[in-house]
Amino acid sequence: MLPETPMQVTSENQTVNASPILRLWFEAALVAGKWEERVRLTIADGNVSRVEHGVAAEPGDERGSVGIPGLANVHSHAFQRGMSGLAEVRGPASDSFWTWREIMYHFLDRLTPEDMEAVAAQAYVEMLESGFVRVGEFHYVHHDCAGKPYDNPGELAERICGAAAATGIGLTLLPSFYAHSGFGGLPPTTGQRRFVTSPDEFARLYENAARCVRTLPRATVGVAPHSLRAVTPGELERIVALDKEGPIHIHVAEQAKEVADCVAVTGARPVEWLLDNAPVDGRWCLIHATHMTPEETDALARSGATVGLCPVTEANLGDGTFPAVPFLAQGGQIGFGTDSNVAIGAAAELCQLEYSQRLSSLGRNVLAAAQGRSSGRSLYDLALAGGSAALSDPADGLGVGNPADVVSLRCDYTSLAARERGDAVLDRFVFGGRSGYAVDKVWVGGREKVSAGRHHRREEIAVSFRRTLQRLLSP
Ligand SMILES: [Zn+2]
């Protein structure tokens, strides 16, 4: 798949898209953390260069109803979009994450590089259409269907980059190291053959990923030791040392069995072990961290790391409920991800987290920052700050100097659109479902990728996705 726009190479040997000056005008917009009326954003070289408010629209301005900053999706396995709905039939024993994982392994039996790119492009289109502007792609499928490295070992990472280029989503590529089937360095299973590398092979994959992202505007690379069950302590140290400044992501404490296995082998729980044995700080993003004691929760909040929550997937897999209230009370930071991509939606992830807390606490507006504060706004602020931290990206809101990652919302009830302003817009966006505010346009780095709720290449990418699924799912 070809990139959508011509590219130019800068003096830093970075490849970026040339970007004209653009002016966006909104009836209202959330700028530098504050709602303003009649707002004009001037965008040059992909960044917001000027913000005006209380001004009339002028000829040439692109007009929208409500402007908000786009969110980062901190955790995705793009290929899993293709298996959405395939694991919802009850099996012979009790179903769990572990039975779901067997279906995921089976789905990978036939997935080619072309399939990877087609499915990832579909996932990224849907992310952009829902208001995500950047994705942290936790990429652990490296080899061919037989488990052999491709002639080009970075083949599949390049397919992820291809999908990002075709859709225009911002990419933080997180190549993942995976070596074992369980704690104590157990040998990998047949189902894991496409993931497994030695640390030396992985170092080459990481270098390749770092080269690959240079072909994309504002794309970055990090490193992702898969989990404590798939990586030994010695390997963890080597993998983390590969990247000196990018984000470090790891799955942790998603499942009760994972906690029990970790205790059995190491004598410590996963989050406890990680905090005691790894240099966890603001570069780290711990994915899930569902099962923690109060002591682990406090210690993780104080570490400066972000927790990457994937509430829709965690509910789909029956993982458990994250202790968000005590974690946030201790100053903890959270971001949001779509993980298995069983359903893709920025608002849906925020909504699901709040609902999980309401169900477990028998209360309402549990994550609103304070009395009188809106739940939708509080969740959106958390997602913005956590997304920026987890992906080491400066896009933490609309303001001068920040990337022009902008989402324009329209209200499906036109009578409401005239009266409703401020945080109530985000409450309706997060909790109102399809009858509330919906994404109208999306700009990534000042480039329009979605208009009237539809990605510019939606049709051709959907055709390719359908063809891919027909082949993958045929008997
Ligand atoms: Zn994951």
Side-chain angles (χ1 to χ4, degrees), residues 50-343:
R50 189 177 184 203
V51 178
E52 302 161 89
H53 53 87
V55 297
E58 291 179 0
D61 288 355
E62 274 246 29
R63 299 186 191 200
S65 175
V66 179
I68 58 175
L71 293 181
N73 175 354
V74 304
H75 188 67
S76 160
H77 311 290
F79 77 88
Q80 292 177 13
R81 183 62 184 144
M83 55 174 287
S84 171
L86 297 185
E88 309 300 334
V89 177
R90 186 166 172 173
S94 59
D95 286 3
S96 67
F97 166 83
W98 308 103
T99 56
W100 171 89
R101 195 177 68 161
E102 287 306 314
I103 295 169
M104 185 264 284
Y105 290 169
H106 186 62
F107 182 73
L108 283 173
D109 284 348
R110 289 202 241 175
L111 191 92
T112 66
E114 293 75 19
D115 299 338
M116 174 69 87
E117 188 164 351
V119 177
Q122 176 67 24
Y124 296 164
V125 161
E126 295 182 45
M127 287 176 199
L128 285 159
E129 290 182 351
S130 88
F132 284 122
V133 290
R134 168 168 289 269
V135 61
E137 181 63 34
F138 195 112
H139 173 66
Y140 62 83
V141 185
H142 303 302
H143 306 321
D144 72 11
C145 296
K148 291 206 183 74
Y150 289 99
D151 291 342
N152 167 13
E155 174 77 45
L156 292 179
E158 290 178 20
R159 297 296 182 153
I160 293 293
C161 290
T167 57
I169 199 165
L171 177 68
T172 298
L173 183 57
L174 301 159
S176 177
F177 175 79
Y178 198 118
H180 307 285
S181 64
F183 291 91
L186 296 179
T189 65
T190 307
Q192 294 160 348
R193 66 192 179 280
R194 301 193 69 175
F195 320 152
V196 174
T197 66
S198 70
D200 287 340
E201 288 168 334
F202 181 77
R204 288 191 286 278
L205 286 175
Y206 167 79
E207 288 302 326
N208 184 283
R211 266 198 309 278
C212 183
V213 298
R214 287 188 207 120
T215 62
L216 298 168
R218 229 177 83 226
T220 54
V221 70
V223 73
H226 180 274
S227 56
L228 294 179
R229 59 186 155 79
V231 181
T232 64
E235 289 162 347
L236 180 65
E237 202 174 334
R238 285 188 66 183
I239 299 313
V240 167
L242 285 174
D243 192 305
K244 306 294 182 218
E245 55 186 20
I248 303 161
H249 286 220
I250 185 169
H251 294 108
V252 70
E254 180 178 8
Q255 287 288 318
K257 178 181 182 301
E258 176 191 348
V259 176
D261 290 352
C262 187
V263 170
V265 171
T266 70
R269 301 166 59 86
V271 172
E272 177 189 15
W273 189 93
L274 202 59
L275 292 173
D276 285 347
N277 293 280
V280 175
D281 61 12
R283 286 176 59 203
W284 287 66
C285 180
L286 275 59
I287 306 301
H288 306 304
T290 310
H291 300 283
M292 294 193 287
T293 63
E295 293 73 25
E296 287 176 295
T297 305
D298 288 356
L300 181 54
R302 288 195 304 270
S303 73
T306 304
V307 172
L309 297 174
C310 310
V312 171
T313 293
E314 288 154 6
N316 180 268
L317 295 177
D319 285 344
T321 305
F322 177 74
V325 171
F327 183 73
L328 294 173
Q330 292 298 322
Q333 179 148 262
I334 58 172
F336 290 81
T338 58
D339 195 3
S340 71
N341 295 310
V342 61

Side-chain angles (χ1 to χ4, degrees), residues 20-42:
I21 287 180
L22 175 71
R23 289 185 181 83
L24 310 179
W25 185 91
F26 297 101
E27 294 168 35
L30 184 59
V31 180
K34 198 166 163 227
W35 287 103
E36 304 285 2
E37 305 262 324
R38 301 187 305 283
V39 175
R40 181 186 294 114
L41 305 177
T42 301

